């Protein structure tokens, strides 16, 4: 487990975050350029190593996140901490009105599925029906390949 000081040093490598001291020697890190009202990325980082990162409804953290979209980072290693902070900043800086990314995938039988990145998730559609949704493109592509699909040309 990383110490409080180690976690602070890692978090402070993100220049877009602003440190704000709060009660009981805890600190928050804010992303002032958030496109949303929520600006706290790292919440209540405590000298005992406990703390939380806001991930909202990002699918790749769905299993770990509380109802408020917070993930406890007490036992995170350096790479996991860097990854979750970067994901949180990206989450708060994404404009939900962006054009979706659409890819077509085809099976040997000629069935066509669309892999679409929208609303912060990778969704697989058959016609207008949602088949599956994933938090990362890698997970969605692995699923498609396991099911015998390949990218359409």
């Amino acid at each position: 487990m990383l110490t409080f000081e180690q976690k602070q040093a890692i978090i402070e490598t993100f220049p877009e975050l602003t440190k704000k001291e709060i009660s009981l020697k805890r600190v928050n890190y804010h992303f002032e350029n958030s496109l949303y009202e929520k600006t706290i990325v790292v919440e209540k980082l405590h000298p005992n190593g406990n703390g939380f990162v806001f991930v909202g409804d990002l699918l790749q953290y769905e299993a770990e996140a509380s109802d408020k979209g917070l993930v406890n980072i007490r036992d995170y290693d350096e790479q996991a901490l860097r990854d979750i902070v970067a994901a949180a900043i990206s989450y708060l800086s994404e404009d939900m009105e962006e054009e979706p990314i659409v890819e077509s995938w085809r099976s040997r039988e000629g069935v066509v599925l669309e892999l679409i990145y929208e609303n912060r998730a990778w969704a697989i559609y058959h016609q207008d029906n949602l088949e599956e949704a994933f938090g990362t493109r890698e997970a969605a592509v692995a699923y498609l390949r396991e099911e015998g699909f390949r990218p359409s040309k």
Side-chain angles (χ1 to χ4, degrees), residues 100-103 114-118 121-125:
I101 299 169
V102 179
E103 300 176 10
E114 287 189 329
L115 175 60
I116 302 175
Y117 181 73
E118 60 185 355
W122 290 92
I124 298 173
Y125 287 92

Side-chain angles (χ1 to χ4, degrees), residues 5 28 41 72 89 98 101 109 111-112 115 119 124:
E5 292 78 15
N28 286 344
V41 170
N72 190 310
I89 292 169
E98 290 179 358
I101 299 169
E109 295 79 27
V111 175
V112 176
L115 175 60
N119 300 324
I124 298 173

Side-chain angles (χ1 to χ4, degrees), residues 8-60:
Q8 280 189 299
I10 293 165
I11 294 164
E12 289 173 8
T13 64
F14 293 88
E16 55 269 73
L17 297 180
T18 304
K19 178 181 176 180
K20 295 191 180 180
E21 294 183 11
I22 58 174
S23 63
L24 304 172
K25 299 182 182 178
R26 298 174 301 172
V27 293
N28 286 344
Y29 287 88
H30 291 253
F31 177 52
E32 303 296 344
N33 293 326
S34 174
L35 295 178
Y36 308 95
E37 286 185 36
K38 178 72 173 172
T39 64
I40 299 175
V41 170
V42 179
E43 190 170 312
K44 299 175 185 161
L45 184 61
H46 192 277
N48 70 9
N50 204 28
F52 303 90
V53 172
F54 177 74
V55 295
D57 57 3
L58 285 173
L59 287 179
Q60 68 258 43

